[in-house]
Amino acid sequence: MAQTASTQHSEIAAIDAGAVLDWYDRHARDLPWRVSPADRARGIRPNPYFVWLSEIMLQQTTIAAVRKYFAAFTSLWPTVENLAAAPLDDVLVQWAGLGYYARARNLHACAVAIVDQHGGVFPSTAAALRDLPGIGDYTSAAIAAICHDEVVAVVDGNVDRVVARYVALPSPVREEKPLVRATVQQAVPKRAGDFAQAMMDLGATICAPRRANCLLCPLEPACLGTKTGDPLAFPVPPAKVEKPHRHGHAFVIRHPEGKVFLRQRGPKGMLAKMTETPGSPWSDTETAATFPFAGDWRAAGEVNHTFTHFHLTLTVWSVTADTPLDEGWWAEETMLDREALPSLFRKVLKTSGLE
């Protein structure tokens, strides 16, 4: 482990793309947005809209969670033109619960840009795709490789892990991104799209976070991580950084006629444009509640929620009143599934006694 990544890299055997593709041809996962290797060999092309949609949804999210959202989106909006024509609020409602809500806003903006600027046709190169809203280095490479076989490295978290073990990377992956990308890039074959998906599948099913089924892996013969006897020691974890803890209050106003008062969050910042209950600002210290109006406010409990960069605790207060605030609307308690409520505020409503 004392070797540096740069000196060790000279000892690394190139990834055997042929072995990876042979494995993929037999073991590719069946995913609703994917064209199987057999169909791809028969000339069936992947749908760029489906690939793009799935890749945006899969950021920071699992395939199990994404399946139902992908099915709902493609049922409501089967083409990028349909999605571009949809109101943003409708898109946010369908996205609610999937998290990282800037993705939904960028998704809609990207659909509009593809229709307005590209006639509804996705650009075919990673460089051109990167100019679109919400599409970065990874997503642009994934779309270009999977849909058009552009010979470009596609490196997600699964591929990071495969390469970190393959080269026995002695440093955290985030410190060695150029090396990881170069290792993949030099192996990309003409079947670039199948290779990209094969490497993802290897990381998801064989070279997984908590297990390494090395005997089943096509890369095992040259894998330096396997040769150490402890492939699970890789990737080396980064130093842990303690997340700050923030606090606030959430106010659930329930109308006697079976309604609850909701409002839309601001256009920027955390959970922008999503639906919420009224509440206080979130701060680093606990403060007393300042209620929106006088009433019989009762503490209903606390909600704990973790975002990427901080933990949050909200004290939930509930009152029965017919007093509206300046901005917002009354929503039927039986129709809350039609609101763009993120998981945090669904927890708030549940804590107050609303399911």
Side-chain angles (χ1 to χ4, degrees):
M1 295 287 286
Q3 291 174 297
T4 65
S6 58
T7 57
Q8 190 186 42
H9 193 233
S10 62
E11 305 169 16
I12 299 168
I15 289 174
D16 186 342
V20 171
L21 287 170
D22 287 345
W23 174 86
Y24 179 70
D25 288 343
R26 297 191 305 273
H27 302 292
R29 289 179 293 175
D30 182 13
L31 301 174
W33 47 83
R34 176 180 285 180
V35 172
S36 72
D39 285 343
R40 188 69 184 84
R42 287 194 289 269
I44 298 174
R45 308 288 302 186
N47 181 336
Y49 173 60
F50 285 8
V51 173
W52 163 71
L53 182 60
S54 67
E55 290 295 345
I56 299 298
M57 287 183 168
L58 285 165
Q59 293 168 13
Q60 308 293 332
T61 315
T62 65
I63 284 177
V66 162
R67 283 182 182 270
K68 67 176 184 179
Y69 286 91
F70 180 84
F73 266 70
T74 52
S75 175
L76 287 168
W77 306 300
T79 69
V80 70
E81 290 89 352
N82 298 143
L83 182 60
L88 174 59
D89 286 349
D90 289 357
V91 175
L92 293 175
V93 167
Q94 293 302 318
W95 194 275
L98 195 53
Y100 299 90
Y101 295 97
R103 291 182 298 163
R105 299 190 296 276
N106 283 331
L107 186 84
H108 188 260
C110 186
V112 171
I114 290 167
V115 171
D116 290 350
Q117 301 171 20
H118 299 277
V121 178
F122 281 79
S124 60
T125 67
L129 286 160
R130 275 195 299 272
D131 291 335
L132 293 166
I135 296 185
D137 289 342
Y138 165 75
T139 307
S140 60
I143 298 169
I146 294 170
C147 298
H148 302 287
D149 282 322
E150 182 173 351
V151 180
V152 60
V154 180
V155 183
D156 69 350
N158 283 318
V159 178
D160 278 336
R161 182 171 54 259
V162 171
V163 174
R165 289 176 182 167
Y166 185 74
V167 306
L169 193 65
S171 308
V173 168
R174 66 187 183 191
E175 297 174 13
E176 299 289 351
K177 285 287 189 180
L179 185 151
V180 172
R181 183 171 296 279
T183 301
V184 177
Q185 183 65 60
Q186 71 174 352
V188 180
K190 290 182 178 179
R191 286 176 62 190
D194 283 348
F195 178 73
Q197 293 171 115
M199 291 292 287
M200 295 177 201
D201 281 11
L202 268 182
T205 63
I206 300 295
C207 198
R210 293 179 179 83
R211 69 180 187 279
N213 295 322
C214 299
L215 293 178
L216 303 178
C217 181
L219 296 180
E220 185 274 336
C223 178
L224 297 182
T226 301
K227 289 176 171 50
T228 69
D230 187 16
L232 294 182
F234 308 96
V236 173
K240 286 189 176 181
V241 177
E242 191 70 24
K243 290 183 179 181
H245 201 137
R246 296 180 184 170
H247 306 266
H249 299 273
F251 306 121
V252 179
I253 307 168
R254 299 183 67 174
H255 195 284
E257 296 179 357
K259 302 175 184 178
V260 63
F261 195 82
L262 301 175
R263 67 184 184 186
Q264 187 179 61
R265 291 177 65 83
K268 295 182 179 179
M270 186 68 68
L271 305 179
K273 295 187 179 181
M274 297 301 289
T275 300
E276 66 171 359
T277 63
S280 71
W282 303 341
S283 64
D284 295 332
T285 57
E286 297 185 58
T287 59
T290 301
F291 299 111
F293 53 81
D296 185 19
W297 290 94
R298 301 188 180 191
E302 287 187 345
V303 165
N304 293 295
H305 195 80
T306 297
F307 292 102
T308 305
H309 301 298
F310 65 93
H311 301 293
L312 175 67
T313 296
L314 292 181
T315 302
V316 180
W317 301 86
S318 180
V319 68
T320 299
D322 59 2
T323 308
L325 304 184
D326 290 341
E327 294 183 359
W329 63 92
W330 292 107
E332 296 286 347
E333 293 178 359
T334 57
M335 308 288 277
L336 292 176
D337 58 344
R338 299 187 182 182
E339 301 289 344
L341 287 158
S343 298
L344 170 62
F345 290 103
R346 291 194 181 277
K347 289 182 186 178
V348 166
L349 291 172
K350 185 174 182 179
T351 300
S352 76
L354 285 168
E355 293 295 335

